[in-house]
Amino acid sequence: MINTIGFISVSIAYFRAKQQFIKTIWFDVFSFLTMMNIGVLTTHFHDEKNLSNHYSHSLTSNTEALQTITFRIKEILKPSMYENKYIVDILKLDKKEVVGKTLLSIRKDTTNLEVHIDDILVSCTSFNPIPYPLNPNQFNYKRYLSRQYIYHQIRLNPSELLKVKPGKPTLFGLSENIRKHIITSLSHYNFKPDELAIINALFLGQRQSISEEVFNQYSNAGAVHILAVSGLHVGIILMVFNFVLQPLERIRNGKLIKTFLVLALLWSFAGIAGLSASVIRAVTMFSIMSIAMNLKRLTNIYNTLAISMFILLLFRPLYIFDIGFQLSYIAVIAIVSIDPYLYKLWQPKNKIIDIYWHTLTVTVAAQIGILPLSLYYFHQFPGLFFITNMVIIPVLGGVLGLGIIVILLACLNMLPHFIAALFGKIISLMNAFMAWIAHQDLFIFHDIPFGWIHLIAFYLIICTGFNFLLKKHYKSIMVLLVSIIGIQIIWIHTKLDTVSNEFVIFHKSRHSLISHTKKHRIFIAHDFDSLSAKKDKVITNYVLENQINKLHKEPLKPVYQLNNKLLFVIDSFGVYDIKQSNPEYILLRQSPKINLNRLIETLSPKHIIADGSNYKSYINQWETICKKHKLPFHHTGKKGAFILAY
């Protein structure tokens, strides 16, 4: 009803605006409100949880009660060290037909159960809620999955699963079968594991087989974007298809036929690449651009981008929160806005130099656009990104073109071994170049503190600075100066607003980790080895969020003085000093064998804390005792990190 009124209001305002010489703001206001209403309505309709037959409405109140669940494998995720992970569609709950998606984790064992997309399985189990992050500033996996309409998880052993006869194949299943055939065909040739993993990523959108080392090398080199089939790949493939199908324009209705074939080929490629979010948004964007380009219609690139964005959000409204979606559109907008002005600074006559110069200007323009977002999400900046892109992007078109030929010939069993060896060598050289760039540690800036307020401030600087370069007059320079003053105020406020005194007991499975912030300095104490400490992200995230650079290491202490309050730490030795003043808090770590009843009666603490280093049986016993004494009990594995600000 609201949207109907909105459409009527927009139509009336539009026709009135056409008849007015002096325009009013009413058409803009009604258009904005109508679009907002469409967004709210679309988001509501796409959330399956709002449907009456969503599985969540049929769950029993007893979370431990077992139910017979029938589900279909929809997507295969990257496995962890101990589990294989999948996204599944719930088909039945007991005997009731339901809808909805959930996360499935199957523990690895010696049986090596093979599970494929479109397989239908049955198990008698229960749904588990996806946990909230247990430590401050940790990645919120629960929120990430909820934006994909996934609200629960199922954890199973292979023996608890029963395969049933598969139903009708879905588009995802057909896509998976094509990818399997391609991978099987390529495996007959002597590609190295890292080469085959990069080929799978470049052409099939599958990054699961890329080793952590290779992925980090591409990330540190500033080229991780080429490992996801996205706008760069689709744009190059679009140019290849346009070039190959160019002769069709000579026949009658050739442009229309060519446009139809280009769109069919683009969406076929999207299907083979797994219809991932990055592929769908790239193909949608370039499909609209292809229609405009092949029909020779005058278009505004910003309108084209807006149309593609609108269509994507109409079908997937929560794409707006997707990092790849944000980076893709910001990069394209930056390129079309900034690159023409950078390119005009110098126009070399030599074609080869001109290609590299234009590559550099495009790279710099894109980096200007995505830099604030990259710092906000990843807190790092690859200083040699321009070298990486100047080497890779000019040859990527040739790599993709040769790769398509290699895949087609391999599927037809007609690929000569020398061509396969040549292509493998090219991929190997690309990997080696990324590794060399990634090892230039001086040019890779890690752990850069950057919050959402800095994100807004930097985009304000970019927009006002660009506007000043285009229009050098009094108003533009005043706006630029005001934005510069604004970001200085923000930076000063951030520095003054940092945590001054805070004690945190983090949750780490099988380990203890404590941070003590005193006068803007963080003291870290833990009991794990140096290699694990180097890889650990808990402290890094905490330091980045609080923007404190003074980090000091210290051993775990038996007693912590927190102003006028004491915290006792009792470890596996179970030793504590009864002569000390009564402690306000007691931390139990490494499963101490103590009589907690006696300890409570002796020391009279106000709070008992147990971290992740303790046995679960001990924790359950301590929790029961604390309930008996009506004493607060905080288990970091259940309630998250214990944070005490003083």
Side-chain angles (χ1 to χ4, degrees):
M1 182 66 182
I2 296 176
N3 279 294
T4 303
I5 296 173
F7 278 120
I8 295 172
S9 302
V10 168
S11 302
I12 294 173
Y14 173 73
F15 287 113
R16 282 184 60 84
K18 287 185 68 176
Q19 299 171 0
Q20 292 174 335
F21 181 75
I22 300 176
K23 305 300 180 185
T24 62
I25 65 168
W26 293 113
F27 174 72
D28 299 329
V29 170
F30 286 128
S31 298
F32 176 76
L33 293 176
T34 303
M35 294 299 291
M36 291 288 290
N37 287 328
I38 291 173
V40 172
L41 192 65
T42 304
T43 304
H44 178 81
F45 282 155
H46 278 85
D47 190 352
E48 293 178 341
K49 204 172 184 179
N50 295 319
L51 300 176
S52 59
N53 60 339
H54 190 264
Y55 74 87
S56 62
H57 303 310
S58 302
L59 297 180
T60 60
S61 56
N62 184 3
T63 56
E64 296 182 358
L66 302 181
Q67 294 178 279
T68 303
I69 306 171
T70 306
F71 51 86
R72 180 196 291 117
I73 304 295
K74 181 177 183 179
E75 185 179 347
I76 300 174
L77 305 178
K78 189 168 184 176
S80 65
M81 185 178 294
Y82 303 107
E83 294 177 323
N84 293 313
K85 296 188 176 183
Y86 311 87
I87 292 176
V88 300
D89 286 321
I90 306 298
L91 304 178
K92 286 184 179 180
L93 201 58
D94 293 327
K95 294 182 180 180
K96 183 180 179 181
E97 293 188 357
V98 293
V99 297
K101 295 187 295 184
T102 193
L103 180 67
L104 170 67
S105 300
I106 303 177
R107 295 176 184 88
K108 294 180 180 178
D109 64 6
T110 54
T111 59
N112 290 323
L113 176 70
E114 288 192 12
V115 177
H116 308 287
I117 291 179
D118 281 352
D119 282 354
I120 296 179
L121 302 102
V122 179
S123 181
C124 188
T125 185
S126 60
F127 288 90
N128 299 312
I130 297 167
Y132 287 97
L134 294 173
N135 292 309
N137 317 123
Q138 187 178 348
F139 175 67
N140 195 330
Y141 194 49
K142 182 182 181 73
R143 183 173 58 193
Y144 169 77
L145 289 178
S146 69
R147 288 171 177 170
Q148 300 181 51
Y149 310 114
I150 298 172
Y151 306 103
H152 294 87
Q153 62 179 340
I154 303 172
R155 307 179 82 97
L156 297 169
N157 292 311
S159 59
E160 298 172 320
L161 284 166
L162 174 66
K163 278 190 179 183
V164 300
K165 186 177 179 180
K168 295 180 181 179
T170 64
L171 188 60
F172 293 99
L174 293 173
S175 174
E176 176 69 8
N177 291 334
I178 294 172
R179 288 199 301 273
K180 283 182 180 177
H181 177 68
I182 293 173
I183 292 170
T184 303
S185 301
L186 290 173
S187 64
H188 295 154
Y189 300 88
N190 296 322
F191 290 111
K192 296 176 182 177
D194 285 341
E195 295 171 358
L196 197 58
I198 295 300
I199 293 171
N200 289 339
L202 286 175
F203 298 94
L204 307 179
Q206 304 300 298
R207 300 196 298 185
Q208 292 92 331
S209 56
I210 299 177
S211 66
E212 185 178 355
E213 180 185 4
V214 172
F215 184 84
N216 288 336
Q217 288 170 356
Y218 274 76
S219 178
N220 292 334
V224 72
H225 57 281
I226 74 170
L227 295 181
V229 178
S230 55
L232 178 62
H233 302 70
V234 177
I236 293 173
I237 290 170
L238 174 61
M239 289 191 291
V240 172
F241 289 159
N242 273 322
F243 177 76
V244 172
L245 299 175
Q246 190 73 28
L248 289 176
E249 293 188 4
R250 299 174 184 174
I251 64 175
R252 187 179 180 183
N253 297 322
K255 291 181 181 178
L256 188 62
I257 295 171
K258 178 189 171 186
T259 303
F260 177 78
L261 288 175
V262 167
L263 293 178
L265 289 170
L266 282 179
W267 283 101
S268 298
F269 173 74
I272 293 172
L275 295 171
S276 65
S278 61
V279 176
I280 290 175
R281 65 172 169 263
V283 172
T284 301
M285 182 169 61
F286 281 100
S287 294
I288 295 171
M289 293 180 67
S290 175
I291 293 171
M293 185 169 53
N294 286 298
L295 296 182
K296 307 295 184 183
R297 301 292 294 272
L298 290 175
T299 59
N300 183 304
I301 185 63
Y302 299 104
N303 290 341
T304 304
L305 289 173
I307 291 170
S308 67
M309 193 183 302
F310 176 75
I311 292 172
L312 279 172
L313 295 178
L314 202 60
F315 289 95
R316 291 288 187 273
L318 295 189
Y319 270 176
I320 193 71
F321 298 108
D322 186 84
I323 298 174
F325 179 91
Q326 297 169 10
L327 290 173
S328 294
Y329 276 97
I330 288 291
V332 174
I333 291 171
I335 289 170
V336 300
S337 302
I338 301 173
D339 174 64
Y341 298 96
L342 293 178
Y343 182 61
K344 286 179 182 178
L345 295 176
W346 180 46
Q347 293 181 332
K349 296 180 180 179
N350 186 289
K351 289 186 177 180
I352 296 177
I353 296 176
D354 183 66
I355 290 172
Y356 276 95
W357 168 244
H358 202 185
T359 302
L360 177 62
T361 59
V362 168
T363 301
V364 171
Q367 196 66 41
I368 291 172
I370 68 173
L371 178 59
L373 267 180
S374 299
L375 292 176
Y376 176 68
Y377 285 119
F378 309 117
H379 300 286
Q380 71 174 36
F381 174 67
L384 298 178
F385 71 92
F386 59 95
I387 295 178
T388 304
N389 286 280
M390 286 186 69
V391 172
I392 294 299
I393 291 179
V395 302
L396 188 60
V399 172
L400 292 176
L402 179 59
I404 291 172
I405 295 172
V406 166
I407 290 172
L408 289 175
L409 293 178
C411 292
L412 297 172
N413 294 321
M414 297 172 58
L415 177 62
H417 281 274
F418 78 92
I419 294 180
L422 173 64
F423 188 61
K425 186 65 176 176
I426 292 172
I427 298 296
S428 183
L429 287 173
M430 190 167 72
N431 288 345
F433 175 72
M434 295 299 177
W436 179 78
I437 292 290
H439 281 95
Q440 311 308 311
D441 295 331
L442 289 175
F443 299 95
I444 302 172
F445 306 97
H446 295 282
D447 303 334
I448 303 172
F450 205 84
W452 64 269
I453 197 165
H454 304 106
L455 176 72
I456 296 172
F458 262 77
Y459 274 121
L460 185 62
I461 286 286
I462 290 172
C463 293
T464 55
F466 184 62
N467 180 63
F468 170 70
L469 292 175
L470 294 181
K471 304 173 182 178
K472 295 180 180 179
H473 51 65
Y474 174 77
K475 186 179 291 185
S476 63
I477 194 170
M478 286 301 296
V479 172
L480 175 60
L481 291 175
V482 169
S483 64
I484 292 173
I485 293 171
I487 196 171
Q488 290 175 335
I489 293 171
I490 289 170
W491 218 269
I492 293 170
H493 175 266
T494 304
K495 288 294 182 182
L496 295 176
D497 197 43
T498 54
V499 173
S500 57
N501 294 291
E502 187 173 75
F503 187 85
V504 183
I505 301 170
F506 296 96
H507 178 76
K508 287 293 292 183
S509 180
R510 295 186 290 275
H511 292 286
S512 295
L513 176 60
I514 293 173
S515 81
H516 191 191
T517 306
K518 293 183 291 186
K519 298 179 180 179
H520 306 290
R521 294 191 299 172
I522 297 181
F523 296 86
I524 302 297
H526 59 76
D527 61 357
F528 37 88
D529 58 77
S530 57
L531 182 61
S532 299
K534 188 176 181 180
K535 292 182 178 180
D536 188 71
K537 294 293 183 183
V538 174
I539 288 297
T540 302
N541 293 339
Y542 181 75
V543 170
L544 287 174
E545 181 66 22
N546 291 287
Q547 302 195 31
I548 299 175
N549 298 322
K550 297 177 181 179
L551 188 65
H552 306 274
K553 295 180 181 178
E554 63 179 12
L556 287 161
K557 299 177 181 179
V559 179
Y560 286 90
Q561 180 76 45
L562 311 175
N563 273 358
N564 57 348
K565 298 178 181 179
L566 286 178
L567 183 142
F568 278 15
V569 179
I570 302 177
D571 58 16
S572 57
F573 294 106
V575 178
Y576 54 92
D577 188 359
I578 61 173
K579 295 180 182 179
Q580 290 277 0
S581 302
N582 291 344
E584 190 84 10
Y585 307 95
I586 288 180
L587 168 62
L588 304 174
R589 56 175 295 268
Q590 295 298 342
S591 305
K593 296 179 180 179
I594 58 170
N595 187 323
L596 189 58
N597 283 303
R598 185 183 303 165
L599 183 146
I600 292 172
E601 292 172 359
T602 305
L603 300 180
S604 301
K606 300 294 188 297
H607 214 121
I608 302 292
I609 308 154
D611 66 9
S613 65
N614 299 287
Y615 296 132
K616 288 185 178 179
S617 57
Y618 281 43
I619 290 170
N620 294 334
Q621 183 182 355
W622 295 335
E623 188 172 13
T624 303
I625 293 171
C626 287
K627 283 182 180 178
K628 178 183 174 183
H629 288 271
K630 297 181 180 180
L631 187 65
F633 180 78
H634 187 105
H635 175 216
T636 59
K638 184 184 292 185
K639 297 182 179 179
F642 181 81
I643 303 174
L644 179 63
Y646 64 93

